[in-house]
Amino acid sequence: MPGIHEVHALPYSAEQMFDLVADVARYPEFLPWVVATRVRSDSDTEMTADMLVGFKSIREKFTSTVIKDRPHEITVHYVDGPLRDLDNRWQFRPLGENACEADFCVDFSFRNRVFEALAGQYFDRAFRRMVAAFEARAEELYGSSNSSAQSVA
């Protein structure tokens, strides 16, 4: 199953990054290709949400269960959609009072193996662009008091 793993040191607290990633309702405001989201249910520890992703005339809906362990980890489990599987995990490790290490990994597989071979390389780039969008959103929301955000992987 293709996957991505990135670790970034960021000048934001683990709580700030957790809040940003857990705010699924705002994803259409800053994530590329996210057309709409609908949070079906939400609690302190679990959420079920739909995400409509689109590119040009293609639109696909994904349903996921989000497990929240504030402020350390967010795990997303694929429930339904066009793929066979799509799971991701964000881990936030404090690096002091106003910094953290964000560890992101995603694994995905397509229902069709031929399509997986053809599209897998594009998904890699798309997910990396989405991680960058989270970092840009953090700077927009929290400022760049410390501009030392850097990739460590």
Side-chain angles (χ1 to χ4, degrees):
M1 180 159 56
I4 297 168
H5 182 221
E6 290 194 7
V7 180
H8 293 242
L10 300 168
Y12 312 107
S13 70
E15 290 82 4
Q16 287 174 313
M17 292 307 298
F18 181 95
D19 289 344
L20 188 154
V21 174
D23 194 1
V24 172
R26 294 202 169 287
Y27 283 8
E29 295 176 18
F30 68 95
L31 280 179
W33 311 294
V34 176
V35 176
T37 56
R38 179 179 65 144
V39 176
R40 294 183 184 193
S41 64
D42 194 11
S43 74
D44 287 342
T45 59
E46 186 173 316
M47 171 193 310
T48 300
D50 298 327
M51 184 180 309
L52 183 63
V53 178
F55 182 74
K56 298 189 181 191
S57 64
I58 300 171
R59 298 276 189 268
E60 294 288 350
K61 183 181 94 169
F62 297 80
T63 301
S64 299
T65 299
V66 180
I67 307 300
K68 301 182 282 186
D69 178 16
R70 187 177 208 324
H72 310 288
E73 184 173 85
I74 295 175
T75 306
V76 181
H77 300 288
Y78 183 73
V79 174
D80 188 37
L83 301 173
R84 177 180 301 136
D85 196 27
L86 173 67
D87 293 309
N88 67 66
R89 184 190 75 236
W90 289 90
Q91 292 180 311
F92 308 104
R93 291 182 280 283
L95 296 175
E97 191 175 319
N98 294 311
C100 75
E101 181 177 82
D103 184 326
F104 173 74
C105 67
V106 62
D107 292 307
F108 55 94
S109 62
F110 293 87
R111 294 187 193 282
N112 180 315
R113 293 282 183 196
V114 173
F115 186 70
E116 181 171 301
L118 293 171
Q121 62 186 333
Y122 298 106
F123 267 64
D124 179 75
R125 280 185 254 167
F127 282 115
R128 290 184 195 284
R129 186 168 167 199
M130 291 180 91
V131 169
F134 277 101
E135 290 184 30
R137 178 66 168 189
E139 183 172 340
E140 178 184 315
L141 292 176
Y142 309 128
S144 59
S145 60
N146 177 357
S147 62
S148 65
Q150 57 182 315
S151 175
V152 294

